[in-house]
Amino acid sequence: GDSVTQMEGPVTLSEEAFLTINCTYTATGYPSLFWYVQYPGEGLQLLLKATKADDKGSNKGFEATYRKETTSFHLEKGSVQVSDSAVYFCALSISGGSNYKLTFGKGTLLTVNP
Amino acid sequence: NAGVTQTPKFQVLKTGQSMTLQCAQDMNHNSMYWYRQDPGMGLRLIYYSASEGTTDKGEVPNGYNVSRLNKREFSLRLESAAPSQTSVYFCASRVTSGNSYEQYFGPGTRLTVT
C-alpha cells in the first residue's frame, strides 16, 4: 500500500539555522505530494505541494522538490524563525485514486529557539 | 468564508456514553473526511464521503459511524465510547485543483474518554 516515512523528531534549532525534514514515499500510482503544518492547538494547514516529478513547491520560505528517482520530497528552509515552531506532516494523494484520501507521515515536531 | 468548522472543541465522555461530532464546510466541496490524530501516529482516516449520499470506511472505522447529512455537513458518531477513542478528531473537505487533491482541515475536537 501507499506510505510516507518522514524523519522522526523532535527537531530543535536556533533561530536562523537551516532546516531539512526528510520525507520519502512508496506509492502504487503517481502521487501528488504535500507538506502540511500544524501550529499548537490548531488544525492542519497546507504549506506547499507538488504534483509531478521535478516540481518545486514553495511557500513562506519553505521549499520541497518532488524527486521521483529517489521517491523523496524533503522540506527545507534556509533560515528558520521562532514562529516556524510547529508539527510538519508530509503526505501523498494518488491522482485518480478511488477515494482521494491523503496518506500522512507521522509528523515531525520542530522547535525553534531564539 | 468560515471554511471547515467543527463542534465541539473539547469533550469528556465516560466509557459507554455516546456522542456526535459535527462538521460543516461552506466551500461547496464534494468530498469530506474524518481523521483521528494520536501521538506518534500521524493522522489516520476513519471514514470519508466522496459525495453527498455516499460514505466509505477508511483505515480505522471500528467503533464509529458517519452521516453525510447534506453537501455541507458530515457528522461522526461514537455509539459507545471507549478509552481507546481518546484522540483529536479532524474533519476535512477536498477541492480538486488541477490534478491534485488538496484538503482543508477544521480546527479539531479534542475528545477524552475516561
Side-chain angles (χ1 to χ4, degrees):
Chain A
D2 303 329
S3 67
V4 175
T5 302
Q6 65 181 100
M7 142 184 194
E8 295 205 12
V11 174
T12 302
L13 296 173
S14 298
E15 208 164 22
E16 299 184 2
F18 185 84
L19 169 71
T20 300
I21 301 178
N22 291 338
C23 171
T24 58
Y25 67 90
T26 58
T28 52
Y30 190 52
S32 295
L33 301 172
F34 306 86
W35 277 100
Y36 279 83
V37 58
Q38 183 180 30
Y39 298 105
E42 298 184 9
L44 278 72
Q45 304 173 26
L46 179 65
L47 179 60
L48 53 84
K49 66 175 182 179
T51 60
K52 61 183 187 295
D54 300 324
D55 266 3
K56 178 185 282 188
S58 62
N59 186 25
K60 299 182 181 179
F62 291 90
E63 293 183 339
T65 300
Y66 188 142
R67 300 285 187 203
K68 190 177 178 185
E69 64 275 14
T70 55
T71 62
S72 65
F73 193 55
H74 304 320
L75 182 68
E76 296 182 337
K77 187 174 185 183
S79 176
V80 294
Q81 306 299 312
V82 172
S83 57
D84 294 326
S85 298
V87 181
Y88 292 82
F89 293 93
C90 186
L92 68 82
S93 181
I94 299 297
S95 300
S98 61
N99 59 23
Y100 313 111
K101 72 181 183 75
L102 281 168
T103 298
F104 287 91
K106 293 184 178 180
T108 302
L109 173 63
L110 170 66
T111 302
V112 180
N113 295 318
Chain B
N1 285 352
V4 180
T5 57
Q6 293 182 236
T7 55
K9 287 190 176 182
F10 301 94
Q11 184 72 47
V12 179
L13 291 178
K14 292 187 169 99
T15 297
Q17 288 184 318
S18 62
M19 79 161 294
T20 300
L21 283 65
Q22 306 287 352
C23 173
Q25 53 91 9
D26 61 2
M27 296 174 282
N28 202 37
H29 291 168
N30 285 324
S31 298
M32 298 184 72
Y33 307 80
W34 276 105
Y35 294 89
R36 59 178 288 173
Q37 182 181 27
D38 301 294
M41 300 292 290
L43 277 77
R44 294 180 291 170
L45 182 65
I46 305 171
Y47 270 93
Y48 67 98
S49 171
S51 61
E52 186 179 353
T54 68
T55 61
D56 286 285
K57 295 178 180 179
E59 187 182 352
V60 288
N62 291 345
Y64 305 95
N65 285 301
V66 290
S67 295
R68 183 73 183 267
L69 304 170
N70 46 57
K71 192 171 186 179
R72 290 186 65 249
E73 298 172 289
F74 187 39
S75 61
L76 178 72
R77 182 158 179 85
L78 287 70
E79 291 291 352
S80 178
S84 61
Q85 295 178 304
T86 293
S87 188
V88 182
Y89 292 85
F90 288 100
C91 178
S93 66
R94 181 180 70 88
V95 63
T96 302
S97 176
N99 61 350
S100 69
Y101 299 91
E102 300 174 41
Q103 291 188 17
Y104 291 83
F105 285 79
T109 295
R110 187 174 295 274
L111 174 67
T112 302
V113 183
T114 61

